[in-house]
Amino acid sequence: MDVPGLSQTRIIEIERNILSRNAAFAAANRARLAEGDVLALNLMSSPGSGKTTLLVRAISDLIGRWPIAVIEGDQQTSNDAERIRATGAPAIQINTGKGCHLDAHMVAHALEALPLPRGGVLFIENVGNLVCPAAFDLGEAKKVVVLSVTEGEDKPIKYPDMFAAADLMLINKADLIPHLDFDLARTIEHARRVNPDIEALVVSARSGQGMPAFYAWLAREAKRAATRIQAAE
Amino acid sequence: MDVPGLSQTRIIEIERNILSRNAAFAAANRARLAEGDVLALNLMSSPGSGKTTLLVRAISDLIGRWPIAVIEGDQQTSNDAERIRATGAPAIQINTGKGCHLDAHMVAHALEALPLPRGGVLFIENVGNLVCPAAFDLGEAKKVVVLSVTEGEDKPIKYPDMFAAADLMLINKADLIPHLDFDLARTIEHARRVNPDIEALVVSARSGQGMPAFYAWLAREAKRAATRIQAAE
């Protein structure tokens, strides 16, 4: 970036300061979540990929099994938090205003207001954006990128930072595949080109197809997180 | 934004400097495009809304009628510029790297390399993002936001800056409406809530449905721009 009145050295220093300040808040969030034995997921995607619908279905299916809480990020409106609360799970809405992503400081404030889902799952739904959220650690255990089949096969290579950062890619709206020219194998191949370790699951939040595999992934990650906590004690 | 080592006053000053520097480049681009009698459109949307497919169809239909050139913005890859060049129209790809939007300085550089489509249309396809591009004037005559029907009805109120800035909303992928729970009237109502003057057209870049109405809009805007230029001379 070229900013009038600031040298390139000063800009790099400011960017480093922003990210190191974020890293400090993220580390504090991570410690607090580990102390509560909470598996925290940072869900990221384009606007309209179906993150909230996916969360509503997952929470409805899992709320009897685990404590669950949700942090919702959006530029404006508290629609998503209201949709989540209708499932019975507590949710806090963060409005970022002009901002294009959540940061760890915002999440720290939300954690002050939200009952910690001890031994359960915290879903953090980021602002719909395939660029900015990739750079900001929120203190989550895992990053999950949701890609709608309607978005096409090329998104992982056009927005590589996001797919390089993600642990799991949920390929959503699978019920629409029969109506599209969508190449699933090519999409996964593109994602693995930027991130050989990324896991991929095909789901439909609308029909429920593939959701049990996502729940099995959640159970595995929750167990791994708990094992790490016990090993550290 | 809270930045360590910078006062709030200094941050506001820097943001103002960035936007005023962008405004100076945008004004220069606008003068150059007006001098060449070029109608320039800034196309913005979420990733995967179908902007490039829409441009490929529009250019294929219109290339015999008007001179056309394209500036393509993406974080990475030159896939989109290659898809455009296959239609016969000249295209320049800008890769923004970590950046989440085009700015007027990038467009000024692209205009140096691109043959000016005198008396025709310049399409500028921004980075797929419903947040950041809304704040940056590129020197275009009109801003067009593309919304895929798969993204849902709430996007105009969740990302209000984008829909407030846009002159035209193209509601794309209309061929998928029979397979979705999509409320068209509600989508337009949401967009007009943040921008009472926004025009809306329903199109499918895949089937071609509604595209002639978009071409009529283009012809009207090109005529208006030419009339303004003649009046100013």
Side-chain angles (χ1 to χ4, degrees), chain A residues 138-219:
Chain A
L138 305 180
E140 71 277 349
K142 296 284 169 185
K143 290 187 202 289
V144 178
V145 61
V146 181
L147 179 75
S148 160
V149 295
T150 60
E151 293 172 40
E153 301 86 2
D154 59 350
K155 296 306 160 292
I157 52 173
K158 287 173 75 175
Y159 302 88
D161 292 354
M162 176 59 74
F163 292 83
D167 300 286
L168 172 66
M169 170 169 67
L170 289 176
I171 302 173
N172 193 24
K173 308 198 186 180
D175 56 292
L176 292 177
I177 291 178
H179 312 297
L180 302 170
D181 319 304
F182 177 73
D183 187 334
L184 177 62
R186 197 144 168 258
T187 306
I188 295 173
E189 189 270 306
H190 282 158
R192 299 232 160 106
R193 200 187 294 174
V194 298
N195 180 355
D197 298 326
I198 198 167
E199 293 186 78
L201 295 172
V202 179
V203 300
S204 165
R206 187 159 76 161
S207 74
Q209 174 194 339
M211 294 296 284
F214 175 49
Y215 307 153
W217 183 92
L218 277 174

Side-chain angles (χ1 to χ4, degrees), chain B residues 200-223:
Chain B
L201 294 173
V202 179
V203 300
S204 165
R206 186 158 78 160
S207 75
Q209 174 194 340
M211 293 296 285
F214 175 48
Y215 306 153
W217 183 92
L218 278 174
R220 187 194 77 192
E221 291 304 325
K223 201 170 162 189

Side-chain angles (χ1 to χ4, degrees), chain B residues 79-211:
Chain B
N79 294 359
D80 287 356
E82 285 158 25
R83 286 172 65 193
I84 297 295
R85 282 185 210 119
T87 66
I92 297 276
Q93 180 81 47
I94 300 173
N95 282 147
T96 59
K98 300 281 170 195
C100 55
H101 63 88
L102 292 177
D103 67 33
H105 190 193
M106 296 172 188
V107 170
H109 276 303
L111 286 176
E112 286 165 16
L114 198 65
L116 206 63
R118 292 185 178 276
V121 182
L122 172 70
F123 293 108
I124 307 170
E125 184 181 338
N126 221 310
V127 179
N129 187 322
L130 278 186
V131 184
C132 319
F136 286 80
D137 181 8
L138 305 180
E140 71 278 350
K142 296 285 169 184
K143 290 186 202 290
V144 178
V145 62
V146 181
L147 179 75
S148 159
V149 295
T150 60
E151 294 171 38
E153 302 85 2
D154 58 351
K155 295 305 161 290
I157 53 173
K158 287 174 74 176
Y159 302 87
D161 292 353
M162 177 60 74
F163 291 83
D167 300 285
L168 173 66
M169 170 170 63
L170 290 177
I171 302 173
N172 192 25
K173 308 198 186 180
D175 56 293
L176 293 177
I177 290 178
H179 313 296
L180 302 170
D181 319 303
F182 178 73
D183 187 334
L184 178 62
R186 197 143 168 259
T187 306
I188 296 174
E189 190 270 306
H190 282 158
R192 298 230 161 108
R193 201 188 295 175
V194 298
N195 180 355
D197 298 326
I198 198 168
E199 292 185 78
L201 294 173
V202 179
V203 300
S204 165
R206 186 158 78 160
S207 75
Q209 174 194 340
M211 293 296 285

